[in-house]
Amino acid sequence: MSSRRSGESSSETLKITDAQIVQLLSKLKQLLPEIRNRRSNKASASKVLQETCNYVRSLHREVDDLSDRLSQLLSTVDAESPEASVIRSLIM
Amino acid sequence: MNHYVPDFEMDEDYLIPDSSSLKRHKKSTMGDEDIMELLWQNGQVVMQSQNQRSGGNKRSEMMPSTAGREIRSGVMEDDTTPCNLFMQEDEMVSWLHYPSDDNNLDMYLHNNDIMYPGLSSSASVIIPASSSQPPPPPVVNAPSPRPPIPPSKRVDEEPSQTKTANFLHFSRTNKGNLTGSAPSSSNKASQAMTLSTVVESNDRPANEPPQSRASRVTDSTALVSGANIGFRGSMSSFGAAGTSSAGREPETYDLSASSSPGTGGSGASASVEPSSQKPPPATEDRKRKGIDTDDTECYSEDVEFEYHDAKKQKRGSTSAKRTRAAEVHNLSERRRRDRINEKMKALQELIPRCNKSDKASMLDEAIEYLKSLQMQVQMMSMGYNMVPMMFPGVQRYMPTMAPMGMGMGMGMGMDHVGMNRPMVPYPPVLPGSAMPNPTAAAAHLGQRFPVPRFQMAPVPVMGPTGSQAANPSDPMMNAFPMQNASQPRVPFADPYQQYIGLPPTQMLQPQAR
């Protein structure tokens, strides 16, 4: 971003950065489920970033949800049982 | 003055539909009056105050209308025949129904609350009667008539005032103009100011009740300055314009004077306004950068449009068009970039411990984080589903399970990252024991923990429900922390590896890994 910001002044930097960014964006795209599923390989940078943010947030939610469930499960198990340890490790 | 004219015609187009109230009537010929106060309502000049609508009106009218209209259309050509002016005038006049101007500009300026943020749209635009003319007189003139008119009057006169709301649209765009216009030559500046003011005022009015508008209108001059000021950014420009248009001179300055209060007000308003507005009005104005305040996309657009108008007036339609096109392009580019930057920032916030300021490295981290998150979710979900299976009670499932072939391994790789259900790749496990169906493995997994085919290939073999397994599993478990962002994968492999070798419980069979 800084390079972007500087803009004109560092056009070269921009170029380099742009190529990297394009590459990274495409990598990111691969990870995103929606874009991948829809086979829409053309997604603007803005869209990819937006999707990434959304996906990260949803993953966070999922992790939280799973943590909750695991803790509930943990409560049903004796503290010392192996399951407990398993669960605990999972929750981390 | 003529240069402003062209817009009026366009104004009609722009005028917001509600500006029905716009009165198209031409009030008066434009004399050379210098300052015409135009009451803008809904983008139209409801009233043109000024002692002489004639002449000067043109200019002023044009400005406001143009400004109101959408300066973007920028088509304003400076040289419109007076007729055009008149036409515009009508609109403006209607909007401005202030008596034309007068020198009470000062009065207006000060009196008007419009000047201050909140200016109503009806801010009368004080249009310097003749651009060429020395500013002082016309401006002064314009306001004079105004003050006497009580705000209410305006209201009465111009029903369209209410329409100011419409004008708002323009004003928004105009805001940009203001800035842009301000810088223009003194004449223009003054005019621009008016325009911008008009524009600005429009913005304001929307919020205000018509009545207030009326009052505002009276202050056309004040409005002008105020309007400018009131509006974001543009205000600053106005101030700048005022200052810049030293040439304009008194009028301009009146405006500026008024604007100063306005500016003060606007300054306040400006400050109030989203930070997007650039504080230094002068700079803003001067540099057509008005568009720079990209903070608000619309704002910048407005600025641009306004600016274009002013510019156009200055130069010629062609060059102005070209400039405008380029500016529009820049604007959109800028907006696009801003959007992307904004998203990058949001993403950066989501990623924990990301202190990279560089885009590329940030994206790198984002990618890694995303992968680790996916992995984590998968592990957890799998574990969640598997743990119950670990309980001894699960054994009941065993008998029901048909022995699964060794080759049960599910080919679930990380593809199913998003899945909440654990995919249990089941490497051949208990040869003898019933192996749950791969699909049902999760549910039926009694004794053996499914070996998820992670890319990292850790095999969470937990299985031991038996006490024996307890011990061995512990260490393993401990070794397997679910780390969120950092290297999620690494830990997996190790713990599992160790575990695999464990135990003996009936459930657990050493699995060939």
Side-chain angles (χ1 to χ4, degrees), chain B residues 126-387:
Chain B
I126 299 178
I127 303 178
S130 47
S131 48
S132 54
Q133 295 199 356
V139 173
V140 179
N141 296 337
S144 46
R146 285 232 205 103
I149 299 177
S152 53
K153 207 163 83 160
R154 278 223 214 246
V155 177
D156 298 345
E157 294 182 339
E158 306 296 336
S160 55
Q161 286 185 350
T162 48
K163 303 310 176 57
T164 28
N166 293 329
F167 194 75
L168 259 196
H169 295 267
F170 297 117
S171 51
R172 284 242 313 230
T173 43
N174 287 333
K175 282 213 252 185
N177 285 340
L178 279 180
T179 12
S181 49
S184 43
S185 59
S186 59
N187 282 344
K188 304 209 182 52
S190 48
Q191 291 173 347
M193 291 204 301
T194 353
L195 278 177
S196 40
T197 339
V198 174
V199 175
E200 305 255 51
S201 47
N202 290 334
D203 270 280
R204 283 318 171 181
N207 308 330
E208 291 155 352
Q211 199 52 341
S212 53
R213 298 223 214 118
S215 45
R216 307 265 171 65
V217 174
T218 47
D219 297 321
S220 55
T221 41
L223 286 179
V224 174
S225 49
N228 290 335
I229 305 189
F231 299 104
R232 308 190 269 177
S234 20
M235 306 291 232
S236 51
S237 50
F238 188 88
T243 44
S244 50
S245 39
R248 264 241 78 189
E249 7 312 52
E251 323 172 313
T252 319
Y253 277 93
D254 277 333
L255 292 177
S256 40
S258 50
S259 43
S260 354
T263 335
S266 58
S269 55
S271 47
V272 172
E273 292 277 69
S275 45
S276 54
Q277 310 316 327
K278 304 227 188 135
T283 21
E284 291 266 79
D285 290 341
R286 302 321 165 46
K287 335 190 155 202
R288 281 306 168 177
K289 285 223 206 127
I291 310 188
D292 289 350
T293 35
D294 264 353
D295 299 346
T296 10
E297 294 187 348
C298 62
Y299 175 69
S300 52
E301 279 189 345
D302 294 347
V303 173
E304 184 169 9
F305 290 135
E306 285 274 6
Y307 181 65
H308 280 297
D309 276 348
K311 278 207 291 197
K312 267 196 68 162
Q313 296 169 10
K314 290 198 311 191
R315 341 178 166 180
S317 34
T318 342
S319 54
K321 279 186 189 140
R322 257 181 280 126
T323 310
R324 196 176 16 173
E327 293 209 12
V328 167
H329 175 71
N330 286 348
L331 208 69
S332 55
E333 245 319 290
R334 196 178 332 194
R335 250 176 297 145
R336 173 182 157 271
R337 274 204 296 271
D338 282 347
R339 242 181 277 137
I340 289 184
N341 286 345
E342 185 184 310
K343 300 205 160 77
M344 292 276 295
K345 259 185 257 162
L347 185 57
Q348 187 176 17
E349 276 162 26
L350 279 177
I351 297 179
R353 298 189 285 280
C354 175
N355 50 2
K356 304 276 190 323
S357 58
D358 177 38
K359 261 195 198 170
S361 57
M362 205 213 71
L363 281 179
D364 254 332
E365 275 206 28
I367 290 174
E368 283 176 30
Y369 179 61
L370 189 58
K371 286 193 202 152
S372 79
L373 252 193
Q374 285 176 344
M375 173 75 63
Q376 178 181 10
V377 166
Q378 184 168 5
M379 288 299 302
M380 284 178 80
S381 65
M382 201 162 312
Y384 181 75
N385 289 296
M386 292 309 149
V387 165

Side-chain angles (χ1 to χ4, degrees), chain A residues 1 4 50 60 83 86, chain B residues 343-344 359 369 391 477:
Chain A
M1 316 231 183
R4 262 309 177 122
Q50 182 67 50
H60 277 170
E83 292 84 0
V86 170
Chain B
K343 300 205 160 77
M344 292 276 295
K359 261 195 198 170
Y369 179 61
F391 296 165
M477 295 307 168

Side-chain angles (χ1 to χ4, degrees), chain B residues 386-409:
Chain B
M386 292 309 149
V387 165
M389 299 310 154
M390 289 168 29
F391 296 165
V394 169
Q395 298 207 11
R396 60 176 173 279
Y397 289 107
M398 298 287 283
T400 59
M401 302 187 227
M404 308 298 262
M406 297 308 227
M408 237 357 187

Side-chain angles (χ1 to χ4, degrees), chain A residues 22-75:
Chain A
V22 164
Q23 175 201 14
L24 293 172
L25 279 180
S26 69
K27 261 205 246 167
L28 206 45
K29 232 192 282 185
Q30 293 311 310
L31 293 172
L32 295 178
E34 289 139 25
I35 296 186
R36 203 183 343 131
N37 293 344
R38 289 181 202 155
R39 296 284 170 244
S40 64
N41 287 337
K42 49 189 122 177
S44 74
S46 150
K47 177 167 182 206
V48 168
L49 287 175
Q50 182 67 50
E51 292 297 331
T52 302
C53 285
N54 295 343
Y55 189 47
V56 167
R57 286 196 202 105
S58 79
L59 283 181
H60 277 170
R61 275 199 305 268
E62 207 169 325
V63 165
D64 287 345
D65 178 49
L66 280 174
S67 297
D68 289 344
R69 288 206 265 160
L70 280 173
S71 356
Q72 279 174 13
L73 200 52
L74 186 60
S75 65

Side-chain angles (χ1 to χ4, degrees), chain B residues 29-138:
Chain B
T29 53
M30 311 230 236
D32 302 295
E33 289 322 292
D34 350 34
I35 288 191
M36 274 222 339
E37 289 183 324
L38 298 174
L39 279 186
W40 283 83
Q41 255 185 5
N42 299 325
Q44 278 192 350
V45 176
V46 276
M47 181 170 99
Q48 187 172 15
S49 68
Q50 87 165 162
N51 31 359
Q52 22 305 62
R53 290 267 186 116
S54 41
N57 296 345
K58 296 204 197 130
R59 219 176 355 163
S60 48
E61 287 184 335
M62 303 260 220
M63 312 250 288
S65 52
T66 349
R69 293 321 155 91
E70 272 302 299
I71 305 248
R72 337 194 161 145
S73 42
V75 201
M76 264 184 33
E77 317 163 66
D78 298 350
D79 314 291
T80 36
T81 62
C83 305
N84 295 337
L85 288 177
F86 284 100
M87 273 195 348
Q88 320 287 337
E89 255 189 304
D90 287 344
E91 294 174 358
M92 298 195 6
V93 171
S94 58
W95 176 78
L96 253 199
H97 55 193
Y98 244 124
S100 43
D101 82 58
D102 320 69
N103 310 315
N104 302 336
L105 187 54
D106 286 341
M107 281 170 32
Y108 286 103
L109 292 178
H110 297 288
N111 296 342
N112 286 349
D113 36 335
I114 303 181
M115 292 192 16
Y116 302 91
L119 296 174
S120 54
S121 52
S122 47
S124 50
V125 175
I126 299 178
I127 303 178
S130 47
S131 48
S132 54
Q133 295 199 356

